[in-house]
Amino acid sequence: MSCPHISGVAALLKAAHPTWSPSAIKSALMTTAYVSDNTNSPLQDAAGGALSNPWAHGSGHVDPQKALSPGLVYDISADEYVAFLCSLDYTIEHVQAIVKRPNITCSRKFNNPGNLNYPSFSVVFTNNRVVRYTRELTNVGAAGSIYEVAVTGPQAVQVTVKPSKLVFKNVGDKLRYTVTFVARKGASLTGRSEFGAIVWRNAQHQVRSPVAFSWTQL
């Protein structure tokens, strides 16, 4: 049932904000979703009753009212999605078939697919203890909005966001930030997954991005 529900809410947002891109609408749905129930307890997985996590609930349960006014959005252009596909090492023929553009050459790629301007983060530690991503936020709220960042994550990871404050002078302004994830020495978590969040917040809005951490060895 998630598909028709989300499709309906997406149509609601498009009617309210006709100029928003599909990525902006998706961002609004994701970053305003909630992860606590009406007793302020963590969401539970209906399959077994255990506490849920982003592998089960993604960004959380959609909140249509909050999604109408998310404050900030992570926007992505079609060309950025093409660069993302090219960075996944698909063949040119595969990318051309997917995007239906015969002139694609994959001249532009991300140095890491995780740098797609997506409203969530996947952090995989292999032999490298440091993972760094950059994101860009667009102000769809009031002019003069100021946001400060709050971070949650496992003890085994140090998370640093720069800058830690974003000041949007005008509606439509775009500002970037960089987040650095450092796996602490001595943490032996191979094969495990942990979770956290990066939240840009002010008195009116909470723009939340879930973060999934995993450790593997090559």
Side-chain angles (χ1 to χ4, degrees):
M1 289 302 297
S2 293
C3 181
H5 285 153
I6 295 301
S7 298
V9 178
L12 172 70
L13 265 63
K14 186 65 174 177
H17 304 285
T19 62
W20 281 14
S21 69
S23 293
I25 291 173
K26 184 173 185 177
S27 174
L29 293 172
M30 291 176 65
T31 60
T32 59
Y34 59 90
V35 293
S36 300
D37 62 20
N38 57 3
T39 67
N40 208 30
S41 300
L43 295 177
Q44 292 185 333
D45 191 338
L51 293 182
S52 183
N53 63 47
W55 292 151
H57 63 237
S59 293
H61 281 191
V62 67
D63 186 326
Q65 191 65 38
K66 287 185 177 180
L68 283 167
S69 178
L72 305 172
V73 295
Y74 293 85
D75 210 355
I76 308 173
S77 69
D79 287 341
E80 288 173 308
Y81 270 115
V82 172
F84 168 73
L85 290 173
C86 290
S87 67
L88 295 176
D89 294 327
Y90 289 123
T91 66
I92 294 291
E93 292 75 19
H94 285 157
V95 176
Q96 290 173 344
I98 293 169
V99 304
K100 303 199 183 319
R101 294 186 186 178
N103 59 341
I104 291 296
T105 62
C106 281
S107 58
R108 180 193 174 196
K109 298 181 181 181
F110 292 115
N111 59 355
N112 184 321
N115 273 320
L116 180 71
N117 200 40
Y118 201 73
S120 65
F121 295 84
S122 175
V123 181
V124 180
F125 296 110
T126 53
N127 297 326
N128 189 354
R129 293 176 45 240
V130 179
V131 177
R132 183 175 290 111
Y133 294 135
T134 297
R135 292 288 192 272
E136 182 180 76
L137 284 162
T138 301
N139 181 29
V140 295
S145 293
I146 300 174
Y147 289 82
E148 295 186 352
V149 73
V151 174
T152 59
Q155 291 291 326
V157 181
Q158 178 184 352
V159 184
T160 305
V161 179
K162 292 184 179 181
S164 60
K165 177 187 288 188
L166 296 175
V167 180
F168 295 89
K169 295 181 180 179
N170 303 299
V171 178
D173 279 359
K174 299 176 183 290
L175 293 176
R176 292 188 175 189
Y177 69 91
T178 298
V179 55
T180 303
F181 306 95
V182 181
R184 299 186 189 277
K185 290 183 178 179
S188 180
L189 299 171
T190 301
R192 287 184 54 186
S193 295
E194 298 283 347
F195 305 97
I198 294 174
V199 184
W200 289 96
R201 62 189 183 183
N202 60 19
Q204 292 77 34
H205 302 287
Q206 301 248 358
V207 185
R208 183 181 182 277
S209 292
V211 185
F213 302 91
S214 60
W215 288 257
T216 63
Q217 288 184 345
L218 297 179

